[in-house]
């Protein structure tokens, strides 16, 4: 594809498949190659039948205000502001490949600069703690249409049923719904898109459906804006922990059980940062020939 890639073969893209708690993305080192049409590339490579397969595309880029920059694209080609699982994998990528020798690094995103602490095992990153910043609860900034400044345990009607939602932004918008019925039995493919495209969410929404297991454990499934159901969502887990504290369902430190694994989240409330700790795993490296997108 002439002009799209500045690499040794113009129509080929080198990549690394990585996952954090099962939330898998295709990572590209933009210090070495340039991607000029990332939205279309993300749609192509994310396809699990005809592409590589993943929840989207992550570009690792130089930054003039942080150690690195992360740009993320969902499986449908839309650009996302932040992804907690993906940013942990970026931390592992840049350390394991010798792009930095620091175990405390900063990464710029559309949701601002995030700060990572890397835990090493046998010289490689095994898990990452991320300072995700303070949550935003202001409805118009999330954004969610509401008559109140904040949306906490507020009613929303979807497909004729009234749910109680708590809206939180972790740099991207989230709607957290606590449920009595087992979320493992939900028909998420049916209900997820109805939340995502509900008229109360001007920029669509990521939705977390949550069971309270005990005062320090939550079970969660997530429907991600632009990607559908994923095995994990880092910002969603953070939003869920915040919502749990606000609704007095758990303490300030909580384990989130997701389909792809567990994440440890802590939030002291108020303007304090949310901290997320979880795994980062390299699956494989490869090279793919792209069509004329």
């Amino acid at each position: 594809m002439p002009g799209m890639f500045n690499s040794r073969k113009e129509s080929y893209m080198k990549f690394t498949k990585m996952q954090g708690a099962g939330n898998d993305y295709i990572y590209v080192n933009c210090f070495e190659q340039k991607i000029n049409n990332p939205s279309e590339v993300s749609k192509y490579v994310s396809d699990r039948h005809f592409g590589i397969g993943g929840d989207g595309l992550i570009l690792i880029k130089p930054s003039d205000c942080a150690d690195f920059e992360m740009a993320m694209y969902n499986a449908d080609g839309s650009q996302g502001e932040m992804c907690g699982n993906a940013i942990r994998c970026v931390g592992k990528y840049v350390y394991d490949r010798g792009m930095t020798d620091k175990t405390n690094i900063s990464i710029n995103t559309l949701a601002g600069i995030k700060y990572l602490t890397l835990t090493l095992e046998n010289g490689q990153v095994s898990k990452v703690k991320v300072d995700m910043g303070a949550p935003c609860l202001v409805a118009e900034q999330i954004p969610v249409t509401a008559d109140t400044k904040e949306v906490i345990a507020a009613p929303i009607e979807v497909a004729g049923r009234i749910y109680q939602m708590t809206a939180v932004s972790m740099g991207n918008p989230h709607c957290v719904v606590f449920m009595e019925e087992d979320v493992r039995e939900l028909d998420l493919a049916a209900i997820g898109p109805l939340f995502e495209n509900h008229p109360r969410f001007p920029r669509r929404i990521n939705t977390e459906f949550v069971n309270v297991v005990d005062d320090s454990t939550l079970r969660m499934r997530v429907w991600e804006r632009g990607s559908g159901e994923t095995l994990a969502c880092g910002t969603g887990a953070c939003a869920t922990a915040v919502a749990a504290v606000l609704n007095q369902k758990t303490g300030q430190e909580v384990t989130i059980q997701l389909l792809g694994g567990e994440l440890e989240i802590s939030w002291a409330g108020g303007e304090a940062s949310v901290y997320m700790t979880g795994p980062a795993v390299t699956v494989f490296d490869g090279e793919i020939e792209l069509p004329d997108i």
Side-chain angles (χ1 to χ4, degrees):
M1 196 159 27
M4 180 176 286
F5 301 98
N6 294 332
S7 60
R8 64 181 181 85
K9 294 181 180 179
E10 290 183 333
S11 60
Y12 281 77
M13 183 184 79
K14 291 183 177 180
F15 69 89
T16 299
K17 177 78 174 287
M18 304 184 78
Q19 60 90 5
N23 197 191
D24 59 337
Y25 287 88
I26 296 102
Y27 294 74
V28 176
N29 183 350
C30 290
F31 286 76
E32 298 179 348
Q33 56 186 320
K34 182 176 174 61
I35 309 299
N36 290 327
N37 196 358
S39 292
E40 292 301 316
V41 172
S42 183
K43 286 193 285 186
Y44 180 74
V45 300
S46 297
D47 190 286
R48 296 187 185 276
H49 299 286
F50 298 102
I52 300 163
D55 293 324
L57 175 71
I58 303 294
L59 306 182
I60 302 171
K61 307 167 71 173
S63 172
D64 57 7
C65 60
D67 294 317
F68 301 94
E69 180 178 320
M70 178 184 87
M72 70 162 293
Y73 294 83
N74 296 307
D76 69 351
S78 61
Q79 188 167 13
E81 298 92 342
M82 234 304 273
C83 175
N85 292 313
I87 203 170
R88 293 200 314 276
C89 290
V90 171
K92 178 176 176 63
Y93 186 104
V94 297
Y95 185 90
D96 288 0
R97 292 165 190 267
M99 298 170 69
T100 183
D101 60 0
K102 299 191 296 184
T103 55
N104 291 281
I105 63 173
S106 58
I107 298 178
N108 191 33
T109 74
L110 288 181
I113 298 175
K114 306 301 178 187
Y115 299 91
L116 281 61
T117 301
L118 312 179
T119 297
L120 305 182
E121 187 174 315
N122 298 321
Q124 294 193 323
V125 174
S126 59
K127 65 179 180 179
V128 181
K129 181 178 182 179
V130 186
D131 179 345
M132 299 287 284
C136 173
L137 303 176
V138 180
E140 64 180 3
Q141 295 177 14
I142 291 172
V144 53
T145 302
D147 296 327
T148 55
K149 181 179 179 181
E150 298 180 351
V151 178
I152 300 173
I156 182 172
E157 183 175 351
V158 178
R161 175 176 170 178
I162 302 298
Y163 297 85
Q164 303 298 314
M165 70 166 173
T166 297
V168 181
S169 175
M170 291 302 308
N172 53 0
H174 291 272
C175 166
V176 181
V177 179
F178 293 97
M179 308 191 74
E180 293 298 325
E181 60 263 50
D182 193 332
V183 296
R184 293 172 293 190
E185 304 300 322
L186 278 180
D187 185 357
L188 208 57
I191 192 67
L194 301 180
F195 272 90
E196 178 181 356
N197 299 291
H198 195 284
R200 291 191 62 183
F201 306 115
R203 292 170 53 200
R204 298 186 292 163
I205 200 76
N206 303 285
T207 309
E208 288 73 38
F209 300 90
V210 186
N211 294 142
V212 177
V213 178
D214 56 42
D215 62 4
S216 62
T217 311
L218 300 171
R219 180 185 303 121
M220 180 188 112
R221 285 177 70 189
V222 57
W223 183 267
E224 288 202 57
R225 175 187 60 169
S227 292
E229 182 172 18
T230 59
L231 296 182
C233 176
T235 56
C238 292
T240 294
V242 169
V245 172
L246 292 173
N247 287 281
Q248 299 182 329
K249 294 184 180 295
T250 67
Q252 296 178 344
E253 297 185 0
V254 63
T255 298
I256 310 282
Q257 299 175 344
L258 306 114
L259 294 180
E262 295 185 347
L263 296 174
E264 305 295 328
I265 313 294
S266 64
W267 181 54
E271 298 298 315
S273 287
V274 181
Y275 290 92
M276 172 191 62
T277 303
V281 178
T282 298
V283 183
F284 62 87
D285 297 309
E287 189 175 75
I288 187 171
E289 184 176 9
L290 293 159
D292 188 9
I293 297 173

